[in-house]
Amino acid sequence: MISVEDWAEIRRLHKSEGMAIKAIARHMGVARNTVRAALASESPPRYERRKKAGSLVDGYEPQIRALLAKYPTMPATVIGERIGWEHSASVLRARVAQLRPLYAPADPADRTEYRAGEIVQCDLWFPPRVVPVGPGVLAAPPVLTMVAAWSGFIAALLLPTRQTGDLLAGMWQLLSGSFGAVPKTLVWDNEAGIGQHQRLTVGARAFAGTLGTRIYQTRPRDPEAKGVVERANGYLQTSFLPGREFASPADFNDQLGAWLPRANQRVLRRTGVKPAIRVGIDVAAMADLPPVPPAVGLSERVRLGRDYYVRVAGNDYSVDPSVIGRFVDVRCDLTTVTVTCAGQVVAAHERCWDTRRTITDPAHVATAKVLRTAYRTRAAAGSPPARAGGEDVGIRALSDYDDLFAIGAPPAPSPDPVERVLEVVAG
């Protein structure tokens, strides 16, 4: 078969130049029958794929269709077991993937139209283990990503954990620092720290109530409902992370904060405008920040034990041992751990992002040593002297106590009631 270019050239030489078939064949280097076929054809040649030979799976197709008609979501491996397939698994999977859409119900995803100030989508991005959290320890903490749906403005922050307190602290820091306002709705997937089964955690409900907003959780396996932030996570993965090295979680956040302004200066294909330009309109349509900040972070009240340590997020932090036995309030935000007793600070530590670590303040150890020495000195001074062996000890008889408290003495006889009445009348 000749190409479309050769077909067009043959017809041009014959019709425009008046060349004979034999001369065209010699000039083009093709057979004369090829020239005759090109002149006889009024349409350009078209390539047609040869019909493929049959496949081994063709004989099993009726059984596959019967199973898919009854069980549209049945895995290809299970179908292979049911039909007795003993050949290549990839061939069977390809045929099942080709036939399944004919029986599986369609689940279309509509395009979403966003309005300014209405929605901020939230999600967690998990980079690989590139963040040092201890000597020789690399971790992959979650990155909280929040994107204003209308403008496409991205804000992100590395968090220590995905617990409720840290997620709420991250959201508050981004809303107050990057946006400076509160949208009408915060969209999340079924993140356990926010809530599950369409039921928010207590902390998330309190956070939404303080901000006067709504936290909406999407249905399971519905990434299209927050596609804006999903694309932002992919953009972080491919554009921010490559070629970077980090010295600590704080260094990661510093580099991320320096890179985000450039990311928000790119023109979005969806809007045709830079997010940094549209975000002003987005924020203007949002509500103001609450006058009182919401309760975020991790907090609890415990009684301080003899070892004067409290456990927070998998790590142990020392506390001033002078408050052993008293209740202390432990407060943990994204960067610090603070312990108070009756309103007085008795411990302040930088938060450790690793786990199973013991963080000790040398001043607490010194105080414990002083208290321990004083306790032992008092115990030694106040202990009674040991009794010498064979010393007689006086024993008081029990009757002495009976006489002292008049126990066992016969009660005084009570007067006869009749005689008492006569005495009163006679008197």
Side-chain angles (χ1 to χ4, degrees):
M1 177 181 292
I2 63 174
S3 64
V4 177
E5 291 79 3
D6 291 342
W7 172 82
E9 181 65 13
I10 290 172
R11 294 177 63 85
R12 185 189 71 82
L13 293 175
H14 182 70
K15 294 183 177 296
S16 299
E17 303 296 335
M19 292 180 63
I21 293 177
K22 186 176 181 181
I24 294 175
R26 188 184 305 111
H27 176 76
M28 297 288 297
V30 297
R32 282 177 285 182
N33 287 338
T34 301
V35 177
R36 293 189 183 97
L39 296 176
S41 175
E42 296 296 334
S43 59
R46 183 173 55 186
Y47 173 77
E48 294 181 359
R49 186 184 297 271
R50 285 185 178 182
K51 187 176 182 181
K52 289 185 178 181
S55 173
L56 287 174
V57 77
D58 291 342
Y60 295 87
E61 185 170 318
Q63 301 177 54
I64 297 174
R65 287 178 176 270
L67 289 173
L68 290 176
K70 193 172 183 179
Y71 309 104
T73 60
M74 178 179 287
T77 54
V78 179
I79 292 177
E81 295 176 1
R82 298 289 180 87
I83 65 177
W85 180 259
E86 298 179 352
H87 306 285
S88 172
S90 61
V91 174
L92 177 63
R93 285 196 300 268
R95 183 59 60 90
V96 172
Q98 180 182 356
L99 296 176
R100 194 186 301 277
L102 303 177
Y103 301 95
D107 184 19
D110 294 333
R111 289 291 181 92
T112 304
E113 296 293 335
Y114 301 105
R115 292 194 294 268
E118 184 177 18
I119 291 176
V120 168
Q121 296 182 4
C122 311
D123 197 18
L124 295 180
W125 166 51
F126 294 91
R129 292 182 178 273
V130 295
V131 182
V133 294
V137 179
L138 296 178
V143 175
L144 172 62
T145 309
M146 300 179 67
V147 183
W150 185 79
S151 63
F153 187 86
I154 302 175
L157 180 70
L158 186 71
L159 303 179
T161 69
R162 57 198 298 184
Q163 298 181 25
T164 300
D166 288 338
L167 293 178
L168 299 181
M171 283 198 292
W172 172 245
Q173 182 169 330
L174 293 181
L175 287 175
S176 58
S178 299
F179 295 99
V182 180
K184 296 180 181 178
T185 304
L186 295 169
V187 177
W188 271 95
D189 56 11
N190 282 270
E191 179 64 35
I194 299 298
Q196 288 184 318
H197 310 297
Q198 303 296 321
R199 183 173 180 83
L200 299 178
T201 61
V202 175
R205 291 199 298 270
F207 181 83
T210 304
L211 268 64
T213 187
R214 174 195 180 199
I215 297 179
Y216 171 77
Q217 287 193 288
T218 64
R219 294 181 295 107
R221 297 178 295 278
D222 188 18
E224 294 83 5
K226 55 183 186 66
V228 176
V229 71
E230 294 284 356
R231 288 191 291 273
N233 284 341
Y235 182 58
L236 289 171
Q237 180 76 32
T238 58
S239 300
F240 167 71
L241 198 59
R244 291 182 180 269
E245 294 182 356
F246 309 100
S248 64
D251 182 42
F252 185 100
N253 277 328
D254 289 342
Q255 294 191 40
L256 181 60
W259 176 82
L260 283 174
R262 297 200 303 270
N264 289 317
Q265 287 292 336
R266 76 195 194 284
V267 177
L268 294 183
R269 183 180 63 86
R270 175 172 61 91
T271 62
V273 184
K274 298 178 180 179
I277 297 177
R278 286 168 62 99
V279 70
I281 303 175
D282 222 349
V283 170
M286 296 182 184
D288 296 333
L289 294 173
V292 178
V296 297
L298 311 175
S299 61
E300 62 176 341
R301 168 171 286 192
V302 297
R303 189 185 295 275
L304 187 64
R306 286 185 59 197
D307 65 345
Y308 60 92
Y309 280 83
V310 293
R311 175 156 294 183
V312 182
N315 296 308
D316 294 330
Y317 298 86
S318 66
V319 181
D320 190 337
S322 61
V323 295
I324 287 177
R326 300 175 62 183
F327 281 105
V328 295
D329 295 308
V330 184
R331 175 79 174 168
C332 176
D333 57 23
L334 298 178
T335 57
T336 59
V337 175
T338 306
V339 184
T340 59
C341 180
Q344 299 295 322
V345 177
V346 291
H349 298 275
E350 182 180 355
R351 182 171 180 178
C352 177
W353 287 39
D354 198 4
T355 56
R356 301 179 181 88
R357 297 280 183 177
T358 300
I359 296 89
T360 304
D361 188 340
H364 298 162
V365 178
T367 303
K369 183 177 181 180
V370 173
L371 293 176
R372 190 180 305 110
T373 302
Y375 175 81
R376 291 174 179 175
T377 302
R378 288 195 305 270
S383 59
R387 183 171 59 86
E391 181 178 352
D392 295 333
V393 178
I395 300 177
R396 182 178 293 276
L398 294 178
S399 60
D400 295 341
Y401 295 100
D402 295 340
D403 296 340
L404 179 63
F405 295 102
I407 298 176
S414 60
D416 187 6
V418 177
E419 295 179 357
R420 178 61 180 163
V421 171
L422 294 177
E423 293 177 358
V424 172
V425 173

